[in-house]
Amino acid sequence: EAEVAQSPRYKITEKSQAVAFWCDPISGHATLYWYRQILGQGPELLVQFQDESVVDDSQLPKDRSSAERLKGVDSTLKIQPAELGDSAMYLCASSLVSGNTIYFGEGSWLTVV
Amino acid sequence: GIQVEQSPPDLILQEGANSTLRCNFSDSVNNLQWFHQNPWGQLINLFYIPSGTKQNGRLSATTVATERYSLLYISSSQTTDSGVYFCAVEEISGGYNKLIFGAGTRLAVHP
């Protein structure tokens, strides 16, 4: 069964350092999502791609974060400088098109110390 | 934006018991999905259910879109059902469907 791949699974970084997460969606899925989930809360959408274009990044702290999806396939989410409040799980998900069933990867746990 | 409220926030069951989880949403939505997050953090899609009723094994879900709620039924619960159940609704934002999650119901099933 096709899966959404993410790496790294776990990351510990010091405050003010740079961190990057990678996601490979299910083959053929046009829509890719990055969510952030703080412990005890539901996932919050950070950025949504339709193919290579960003269609929603309203919750992405753009002064410190960026996301790209070159060629409309895999995607990278970068945070620099990392802050203590960035400690969370970062989830990547994909769907065939916007509005279809959404499939999540295993997530990347970030701890900022 | 749309508000999504789930109840109860926490639920403890004895193995074999049945339960009902509720999701209320504040506005009309295009769709609704239920997810289970296991203790390792993996989110699994359970149902894609804009309206009506669906069943998958011991789980079933009903969405009444006109009354803005959805219910997830778990029958004969097992310890492997433990985890967090999320309801997520879709709203149109900028021409695209945006998934908004509730805060979840944390379920613990004891043997």
Side-chain angles (χ1 to χ4, degrees), chain A residues 9 33 35 37 40-43 45 48 50 55-56 58-59 89 91 98-106 109, chain B residues 31 33 35 37 39-45 48 86 90 93-104 106:
Chain A
R9 187 80 170 98
Y33 314 80
Y35 283 85
Q37 186 178 18
Q41 299 181 17
L45 180 68
Q48 180 172 336
Q50 180 65 33
V55 299
D56 191 318
S58 54
Q59 299 304 312
M89 182 163 64
L91 291 156
S98 176
N100 273 30
T101 301
I102 185 170
Y103 299 91
F104 281 87
E106 290 186 318
W109 293 90
Chain B
N31 208 330
Q33 301 186 36
F35 296 86
Q37 187 166 43
W40 297 271
Q42 176 76 55
L43 273 161
I44 303 296
N45 191 294
Y48 179 86
F86 288 103
E90 291 184 356
S93 175
Y96 290 92
N97 296 60
K98 181 175 178 178
L99 208 58
I100 309 296
F101 281 78
R106 286 151 192 78

Short mmCIF file of all heavy atoms in Angstrom, two decimals, chain A residues 9 33 35 37 40-43 45 48 50 55-56 58-59 89 91 98-106 109, chain B residues 31 33 35 37 39-45 48 86 90 93-104 106:
data_model
loop_
_atom_site.label_atom_id
_atom_site.label_comp_id
_atom_site.label_asym_id
_atom_site.label_seq_id
_atom_site.Cartn_x
_atom_site.Cartn_y
_atom_site.Cartn_z
N ARG A 9 12.39 11.18 11.45
CA ARG A 9 11.32 10.80 12.36
C ARG A 9 11.40 11.61 13.65
O ARG A 9 10.39 12.01 14.19
CB ARG A 9 11.42 9.31 12.66
CG ARG A 9 10.25 8.76 13.45
CD ARG A 9 9.06 8.49 12.56
NE ARG A 9 8.05 7.74 13.30
CZ ARG A 9 6.99 8.30 13.88
NH1 ARG A 9 6.80 9.61 13.80
NH2 ARG A 9 6.11 7.56 14.53
N TYR A 33 0.04 18.60 1.97
CA TYR A 33 -0.22 19.43 3.14
C TYR A 33 0.90 19.25 4.17
O TYR A 33 1.41 18.16 4.36
CB TYR A 33 -1.52 19.01 3.84
CG TYR A 33 -2.71 18.77 2.95
CD1 TYR A 33 -2.85 17.58 2.26
CD2 TYR A 33 -3.74 19.71 2.85
CE1 TYR A 33 -3.95 17.32 1.46
CE2 TYR A 33 -4.85 19.47 2.06
CZ TYR A 33 -4.96 18.27 1.37
OH TYR A 33 -6.06 18.04 0.59
N TYR A 35 1.14 19.94 8.24
CA TYR A 35 0.42 20.29 9.46
C TYR A 35 1.41 20.31 10.63
O TYR A 35 2.39 19.56 10.64
CB TYR A 35 -0.67 19.26 9.79
CG TYR A 35 -1.92 19.38 8.96
CD1 TYR A 35 -2.02 18.77 7.72
CD2 TYR A 35 -3.02 20.09 9.44
CE1 TYR A 35 -3.18 18.88 6.97
CE2 TYR A 35 -4.19 20.19 8.69
CZ TYR A 35 -4.25 19.58 7.46
OH TYR A 35 -5.40 19.68 6.72
N GLN A 37 1.31 19.74 14.83
CA GLN A 37 0.48 19.27 15.92
C GLN A 37 1.23 19.43 17.24
O GLN A 37 2.23 18.75 17.48
CB GLN A 37 0.05 17.82 15.73
CG GLN A 37 -0.95 17.35 16.79
CD GLN A 37 -1.41 15.92 16.56
OE1 GLN A 37 -0.78 15.15 15.85
NE2 GLN A 37 -2.53 15.56 17.17
N GLY A 40 -1.40 17.39 22.63
CA GLY A 40 -2.70 17.60 23.25
C GLY A 40 -3.68 18.38 22.39
O GLY A 40 -4.81 18.64 22.81
N GLN A 41 -3.25 18.74 21.19
CA GLN A 41 -4.13 19.51 20.31
C GLN A 41 -4.31 18.79 18.97
O GLN A 41 -3.60 17.84 18.66
CB GLN A 41 -3.54 20.91 20.06
CG GLN A 41 -3.39 21.74 21.32
CD GLN A 41 -2.82 23.12 21.02
OE1 GLN A 41 -2.83 23.58 19.88
NE2 GLN A 41 -2.33 23.79 22.06
N GLY A 42 -5.26 19.29 18.18
CA GLY A 42 -5.44 18.75 16.85
C GLY A 42 -4.44 19.36 15.87
O GLY A 42 -3.86 20.42 16.15
N PRO A 43 -4.21 18.71 14.74
CA PRO A 43 -3.28 19.26 13.74
C PRO A 43 -3.78 20.60 13.21
O PRO A 43 -4.98 20.81 13.04
CB PRO A 43 -3.29 18.19 12.64
CG PRO A 43 -3.74 16.93 13.32
CD PRO A 43 -4.72 17.38 14.35
N LEU A 45 -3.14 23.33 10.00
CA LEU A 45 -2.55 23.44 8.67
C LEU A 45 -1.54 24.58 8.62
O LEU A 45 -1.84 25.71 8.99
CB LEU A 45 -3.65 23.69 7.64
CG LEU A 45 -3.18 23.81 6.19
CD1 LEU A 45 -2.66 22.47 5.68
CD2 LEU A 45 -4.31 24.31 5.29
N GLN A 48 -0.45 24.41 2.25
CA GLN A 48 -1.10 23.47 1.34
C GLN A 48 -0.63 23.78 -0.07
O GLN A 48 -0.63 24.93 -0.50
CB GLN A 48 -2.62 23.60 1.44
CG GLN A 48 -3.39 22.66 0.53
CD GLN A 48 -4.88 22.68 0.80
OE1 GLN A 48 -5.33 23.00 1.89
NE2 GLN A 48 -5.68 22.31 -0.20
N GLN A 50 -0.96 22.81 -4.21
CA GLN A 50 -1.63 22.18 -5.32
C GLN A 50 -0.57 22.09 -6.42
O GLN A 50 -0.16 23.10 -6.99
CB GLN A 50 -2.84 23.00 -5.80
CG GLN A 50 -3.58 22.38 -6.95
CD GLN A 50 -4.23 21.07 -6.61
OE1 GLN A 50 -4.67 20.86 -5.48
NE2 GLN A 50 -4.29 20.17 -7.57
N VAL A 55 -1.23 27.14 -2.14
CA VAL A 55 -2.59 27.67 -2.19
C VAL A 55 -3.04 28.21 -0.84
O VAL A 55 -4.03 28.94 -0.76
CB VAL A 55 -3.60 26.64 -2.72
CG1 VAL A 55 -3.23 26.23 -4.13
CG2 VAL A 55 -3.68 25.41 -1.83
N ASP A 56 -2.33 27.83 0.22
CA ASP A 56 -2.65 28.35 1.55
C ASP A 56 -1.41 28.23 2.42
O ASP A 56 -0.89 27.14 2.60
CB ASP A 56 -3.81 27.56 2.18
CG ASP A 56 -4.35 28.22 3.46
OD1 ASP A 56 -3.54 28.70 4.27
OD2 ASP A 56 -5.58 28.25 3.64
N SER A 58 -1.38 30.55 5.27
CA SER A 58 -1.78 31.62 6.19
C SER A 58 -1.26 31.40 7.61
O SER A 58 -1.11 32.36 8.36
CB SER A 58 -3.30 31.77 6.20
OG SER A 58 -3.92 30.53 6.49
N GLN A 59 -1.02 30.17 8.02
CA GLN A 59 -0.56 29.89 9.38
C GLN A 59 0.94 29.61 9.45
O GLN A 59 1.46 29.29 10.51
CB GLN A 59 -1.34 28.72 9.98
CG GLN A 59 -2.83 28.95 10.09
CD GLN A 59 -3.16 30.19 10.88
OE1 GLN A 59 -2.64 30.41 11.97
NE2 GLN A 59 -4.02 31.04 10.34
N MET A 89 4.93 18.06 16.57
CA MET A 89 5.06 17.06 15.51
C MET A 89 4.63 17.72 14.20
O MET A 89 3.60 18.39 14.15
CB MET A 89 4.20 15.83 15.79
CG MET A 89 4.36 14.76 14.70
SD MET A 89 3.79 13.13 15.15
CE MET A 89 2.04 13.41 15.36
N LEU A 91 3.48 17.06 10.50
CA LEU A 91 2.83 16.00 9.72
C LEU A 91 2.71 16.42 8.27
O LEU A 91 2.28 17.53 7.97
CB LEU A 91 1.43 15.73 10.27
CG LEU A 91 1.35 15.10 11.65
CD1 LEU A 91 0.03 15.41 12.32
CD2 LEU A 91 1.54 13.58 11.53
N SER A 98 -7.52 18.18 -4.02
CA SER A 98 -8.11 18.86 -2.87
C SER A 98 -9.56 18.41 -2.70
O SER A 98 -10.33 18.42 -3.65
CB SER A 98 -8.05 20.37 -3.09
OG SER A 98 -8.69 21.05 -2.06
N GLY A 99 -9.89 17.99 -1.46
CA GLY A 99 -11.26 17.55 -1.20
C GLY A 99 -11.43 16.06 -1.16
O GLY A 99 -12.48 15.56 -0.78
N ASN A 100 -10.41 15.31 -1.53
CA ASN A 100 -10.48 13.85 -1.46
C ASN A 100 -9.95 13.34 -0.12
O ASN A 100 -9.47 14.12 0.70
CB ASN A 100 -9.66 13.25 -2.60
CG ASN A 100 -10.46 13.12 -3.87
OD1 ASN A 100 -11.35 13.91 -4.09
ND2 ASN A 100 -10.14 12.13 -4.67
N THR A 101 -10.02 12.05 0.06
CA THR A 101 -9.48 11.43 1.26
C THR A 101 -8.01 11.82 1.42
O THR A 101 -7.24 11.79 0.46
CB THR A 101 -9.60 9.90 1.17
OG1 THR A 101 -10.97 9.57 1.02
CG2 THR A 101 -9.06 9.25 2.43
N ILE A 102 -7.65 12.16 2.64
CA ILE A 102 -6.30 12.63 2.92
C ILE A 102 -5.53 11.56 3.68
O ILE A 102 -6.07 10.91 4.58
CB ILE A 102 -6.36 13.97 3.70
CG1 ILE A 102 -4.99 14.57 3.90
CG2 ILE A 102 -7.07 13.82 5.01
CD1 ILE A 102 -5.04 15.99 4.43
N TYR A 103 -4.26 11.34 3.30
CA TYR A 103 -3.42 10.31 3.90
C TYR A 103 -2.21 10.98 4.54
O TYR A 103 -1.54 11.79 3.91
CB TYR A 103 -2.95 9.32 2.83
CG TYR A 103 -4.10 8.59 2.16
CD1 TYR A 103 -4.67 9.10 1.00
CD2 TYR A 103 -4.60 7.42 2.69
CE1 TYR A 103 -5.74 8.47 0.39
CE2 TYR A 103 -5.67 6.76 2.08
CZ TYR A 103 -6.23 7.29 0.94
OH TYR A 103 -7.29 6.66 0.34
N PHE A 104 -1.93 10.58 5.79
CA PHE A 104 -0.85 11.18 6.55
C PHE A 104 0.38 10.30 6.60
O PHE A 104 0.28 9.07 6.60
CB PHE A 104 -1.30 11.45 7.99
CG PHE A 104 -2.15 12.69 8.14
CD1 PHE A 104 -3.52 12.63 7.96
CD2 PHE A 104 -1.57 13.90 8.46
CE1 PHE A 104 -4.30 13.77 8.10
CE2 PHE A 104 -2.34 15.05 8.60
CZ PHE A 104 -3.71 14.98 8.41
N GLY A 105 1.54 10.94 6.68
CA GLY A 105 2.77 10.24 7.00
C GLY A 105 2.87 10.01 8.50
O GLY A 105 1.97 10.39 9.26
N GLU A 106 3.98 9.41 8.92
CA GLU A 106 4.15 9.08 10.33
C GLU A 106 4.49 10.30 11.18
O GLU A 106 4.42 10.25 12.40
CB GLU A 106 5.25 8.03 10.49
CG GLU A 106 4.86 6.66 9.98
CD GLU A 106 5.92 5.64 10.30
OE1 GLU A 106 7.12 5.95 10.15
OE2 GLU A 106 5.56 4.51 10.69
N TRP A 109 8.89 14.38 14.73
CA TRP A 109 8.84 15.00 16.05
C TRP A 109 10.02 15.96 16.19
O TRP A 109 11.17 15.55 16.06
CB TRP A 109 8.92 13.94 17.14
CG TRP A 109 7.74 13.03 17.21
CD1 TRP A 109 7.56 11.85 16.55
CD2 TRP A 109 6.57 13.20 18.02
NE1 TRP A 109 6.35 11.29 16.89
CE2 TRP A 109 5.72 12.09 17.80
CE3 TRP A 109 6.15 14.18 18.94
CZ2 TRP A 109 4.49 11.94 18.43
CZ3 TRP A 109 4.93 14.02 19.56
CH2 TRP A 109 4.11 12.91 19.30
N ASN B 31 -17.28 18.55 3.36
CA ASN B 31 -16.97 17.16 3.67
C ASN B 31 -16.56 17.04 5.12
O ASN B 31 -16.29 18.04 5.79
CB ASN B 31 -15.84 16.67 2.77
CG ASN B 31 -15.94 15.18 2.53
OD1 ASN B 31 -16.42 14.45 3.38
ND2 ASN B 31 -15.48 14.74 1.40
N GLN B 33 -14.20 14.17 7.67
CA GLN B 33 -13.41 12.95 7.77
C GLN B 33 -13.14 12.65 9.25
O GLN B 33 -12.94 13.57 10.04
CB GLN B 33 -12.08 13.10 7.01
CG GLN B 33 -12.27 13.41 5.52
CD GLN B 33 -10.99 13.40 4.72
OE1 GLN B 33 -10.09 12.62 4.96
NE2 GLN B 33 -10.91 14.30 3.74
N PHE B 35 -10.54 10.51 11.82
CA PHE B 35 -9.21 9.93 11.89
C PHE B 35 -8.97 9.31 13.26
O PHE B 35 -9.52 9.78 14.26
CB PHE B 35 -8.12 10.99 11.67
CG PHE B 35 -8.13 11.64 10.32
CD1 PHE B 35 -8.93 12.74 10.06
CD2 PHE B 35 -7.32 11.15 9.30
CE1 PHE B 35 -8.93 13.34 8.82
CE2 PHE B 35 -7.32 11.75 8.04
CZ PHE B 35 -8.13 12.85 7.81
N GLN B 37 -5.65 8.54 15.69
CA GLN B 37 -4.21 8.72 15.88
C GLN B 37 -3.74 7.72 16.93
O GLN B 37 -4.19 7.78 18.09
CB GLN B 37 -3.87 10.14 16.31
CG GLN B 37 -2.38 10.43 16.35
CD GLN B 37 -2.08 11.90 16.47
OE1 GLN B 37 -2.71 12.62 17.23
NE2 GLN B 37 -1.09 12.37 15.70
N PRO B 39 -1.00 5.63 19.47
CA PRO B 39 -0.06 6.17 20.47
C PRO B 39 1.30 6.57 19.89
O PRO B 39 2.04 7.29 20.54
CB PRO B 39 0.08 5.01 21.47
CG PRO B 39 -1.23 4.29 21.35
CD PRO B 39 -1.60 4.36 19.89
N TRP B 40 1.64 6.14 18.69
CA TRP B 40 2.91 6.51 18.07
C TRP B 40 2.76 7.73 17.17
O TRP B 40 3.71 8.15 16.53
CB TRP B 40 3.45 5.31 17.27
CG TRP B 40 3.75 4.17 18.16
CD1 TRP B 40 4.90 3.89 18.81
CD2 TRP B 40 2.83 3.13 18.55
NE1 TRP B 40 4.75 2.75 19.56
CE2 TRP B 40 3.50 2.27 19.42
CE3 TRP B 40 1.49 2.86 18.22
CZ2 TRP B 40 2.91 1.15 20.00
CZ3 TRP B 40 0.88 1.74 18.80
CH2 TRP B 40 1.60 0.91 19.68
N GLY B 41 1.56 8.28 17.09
CA GLY B 41 1.35 9.52 16.36
C GLY B 41 0.81 9.37 14.95
O GLY B 41 0.49 10.37 14.31
N GLN B 42 0.70 8.15 14.46
CA GLN B 42 0.22 7.94 13.10
C GLN B 42 -1.27 8.23 13.00
O GLN B 42 -2.05 7.69 13.78
CB GLN B 42 0.50 6.51 12.65
CG GLN B 42 -0.05 6.16 11.28
CD GLN B 42 0.76 6.74 10.14
OE1 GLN B 42 1.96 6.51 10.05
NE2 GLN B 42 0.12 7.48 9.26
N LEU B 43 -1.63 9.06 12.04
CA LEU B 43 -3.04 9.39 11.78
C LEU B 43 -3.57 8.51 10.65
O LEU B 43 -3.02 8.52 9.55
CB LEU B 43 -3.19 10.85 11.38
CG LEU B 43 -3.34 11.87 12.50
CD1 LEU B 43 -3.01 13.26 12.00
CD2 LEU B 43 -4.77 11.84 13.04
N ILE B 44 -4.64 7.78 10.95
CA ILE B 44 -5.23 6.89 9.97
C ILE B 44 -6.63 7.38 9.65
O ILE B 44 -7.43 7.64 10.56
CB ILE B 44 -5.32 5.45 10.51
CG1 ILE B 44 -3.93 4.95 10.90
CG2 ILE B 44 -5.95 4.52 9.47
CD1 ILE B 44 -2.95 4.83 9.77
N ASN B 45 -6.92 7.49 8.36
CA ASN B 45 -8.25 7.91 7.94
C ASN B 45 -9.24 6.77 8.17
O ASN B 45 -9.03 5.66 7.68
CB ASN B 45 -8.20 8.32 6.48
CG ASN B 45 -9.46 9.02 6.05
OD1 ASN B 45 -10.53 8.43 6.01
ND2 ASN B 45 -9.35 10.29 5.74
N TYR B 48 -14.55 8.90 5.29
CA TYR B 48 -14.74 10.10 4.49
C TYR B 48 -16.25 10.18 4.32
O TYR B 48 -16.82 9.38 3.58
CB TYR B 48 -14.01 9.92 3.16
CG TYR B 48 -14.11 11.04 2.18
CD1 TYR B 48 -13.24 12.11 2.23
CD2 TYR B 48 -15.04 11.01 1.15
CE1 TYR B 48 -13.29 13.13 1.29
CE2 TYR B 48 -15.12 12.02 0.21
CZ TYR B 48 -14.24 13.07 0.28
OH TYR B 48 -14.30 14.09 -0.64
N PHE B 86 -10.00 12.08 15.85
CA PHE B 86 -10.19 13.45 15.36
C PHE B 86 -11.27 13.48 14.29
O PHE B 86 -11.34 12.61 13.43
CB PHE B 86 -8.90 14.00 14.75
CG PHE B 86 -7.82 14.32 15.74
CD1 PHE B 86 -6.74 13.47 15.92
CD2 PHE B 86 -7.89 15.48 16.51
CE1 PHE B 86 -5.73 13.76 16.84
CE2 PHE B 86 -6.89 15.78 17.43
CZ PHE B 86 -5.82 14.92 17.59
N GLU B 90 -14.08 20.12 6.08
CA GLU B 90 -13.51 20.87 4.97
C GLU B 90 -14.28 22.16 4.74
O GLU B 90 -15.51 22.15 4.70
CB GLU B 90 -13.52 20.03 3.71
CG GLU B 90 -12.55 18.87 3.75
CD GLU B 90 -12.50 18.10 2.45
OE1 GLU B 90 -13.27 18.43 1.54
OE2 GLU B 90 -11.69 17.16 2.36
N SER B 93 -11.51 27.57 0.94
CA SER B 93 -10.70 28.74 1.23
C SER B 93 -9.87 29.06 0.00
O SER B 93 -9.02 28.26 -0.39
CB SER B 93 -9.79 28.46 2.45
OG SER B 93 -8.92 29.52 2.69
N GLY B 94 -10.12 30.20 -0.59
CA GLY B 94 -9.37 30.58 -1.78
C GLY B 94 -9.56 29.63 -2.94
O GLY B 94 -8.67 29.47 -3.77
N GLY B 95 -10.72 28.99 -3.00
CA GLY B 95 -10.99 28.07 -4.10
C GLY B 95 -10.53 26.65 -3.85
O GLY B 95 -10.74 25.78 -4.69
N TYR B 96 -9.92 26.40 -2.69
CA TYR B 96 -9.44 25.05 -2.38
C TYR B 96 -10.05 24.58 -1.07
O TYR B 96 -10.45 25.38 -0.23
CB TYR B 96 -7.92 25.03 -2.28
CG TYR B 96 -7.26 25.22 -3.62
CD1 TYR B 96 -6.90 26.49 -4.05
CD2 TYR B 96 -7.02 24.14 -4.45
CE1 TYR B 96 -6.32 26.67 -5.29
CE2 TYR B 96 -6.43 24.32 -5.69
CZ TYR B 96 -6.08 25.59 -6.11
OH TYR B 96 -5.51 25.76 -7.35
N ASN B 97 -10.13 23.25 -0.93
CA ASN B 97 -10.67 22.65 0.29
C ASN B 97 -9.60 22.66 1.37
O ASN B 97 -8.49 22.17 1.15
CB ASN B 97 -11.13 21.22 0.03
CG ASN B 97 -12.27 21.16 -0.95
OD1 ASN B 97 -12.14 21.59 -2.09
ND2 ASN B 97 -13.38 20.64 -0.52
N LYS B 98 -9.95 23.18 2.52
CA LYS B 98 -9.03 23.27 3.65
C LYS B 98 -9.60 22.43 4.78
O LYS B 98 -10.78 22.57 5.13
CB LYS B 98 -8.89 24.72 4.08
CG LYS B 98 -7.95 24.97 5.24
CD LYS B 98 -7.83 26.48 5.47
CE LYS B 98 -6.94 26.79 6.66
NZ LYS B 98 -6.78 28.25 6.84
N LEU B 99 -8.78 21.55 5.35
CA LEU B 99 -9.24 20.64 6.40
C LEU B 99 -8.97 21.26 7.77
O LEU B 99 -7.83 21.59 8.09
CB LEU B 99 -8.49 19.32 6.25
CG LEU B 99 -9.16 18.04 6.73
CD1 LEU B 99 -10.48 17.82 6.03
CD2 LEU B 99 -8.25 16.85 6.52
N ILE B 100 -10.05 21.40 8.57
CA ILE B 100 -9.94 21.97 9.91
C ILE B 100 -10.23 20.87 10.92
O ILE B 100 -11.28 20.22 10.87
CB ILE B 100 -10.98 23.11 10.10
CG1 ILE B 100 -10.90 24.13 8.96
CG2 ILE B 100 -10.80 23.76 11.46
CD1 ILE B 100 -9.59 24.87 8.89
N PHE B 101 -9.30 20.66 11.85
CA PHE B 101 -9.42 19.59 12.83
C PHE B 101 -10.01 20.08 14.13
O PHE B 101 -9.78 21.22 14.57
CB PHE B 101 -8.04 18.99 13.14
CG PHE B 101 -7.54 18.03 12.10
CD1 PHE B 101 -7.01 18.50 10.91
CD2 PHE B 101 -7.61 16.66 12.32
CE1 PHE B 101 -6.55 17.61 9.95
CE2 PHE B 101 -7.15 15.77 11.37
CZ PHE B 101 -6.62 16.26 10.18
N GLY B 102 -10.76 19.20 14.78
CA GLY B 102 -11.16 19.43 16.15
C GLY B 102 -10.02 19.08 17.10
O GLY B 102 -8.96 18.65 16.67
N ALA B 103 -10.28 19.24 18.40
CA ALA B 103 -9.24 18.99 19.40
C ALA B 103 -9.12 17.51 19.74
O ALA B 103 -8.18 17.11 20.42
CB ALA B 103 -9.53 19.78 20.66
N GLY B 104 -10.06 16.70 19.31
CA GLY B 104 -9.95 15.26 19.49
C GLY B 104 -10.64 14.72 20.72
O GLY B 104 -10.94 15.46 21.67
N ARG B 106 -9.82 11.67 23.40
CA ARG B 106 -8.80 10.71 23.82
C ARG B 106 -9.46 9.50 24.44
O ARG B 106 -10.12 9.63 25.47
CB ARG B 106 -7.85 11.38 24.81
CG ARG B 106 -6.92 12.35 24.12
CD ARG B 106 -6.46 13.49 25.00
NE ARG B 106 -5.80 14.51 24.21
CZ ARG B 106 -6.44 15.42 23.46
NH1 ARG B 106 -7.75 15.46 23.42
NH2 ARG B 106 -5.76 16.30 22.76
#
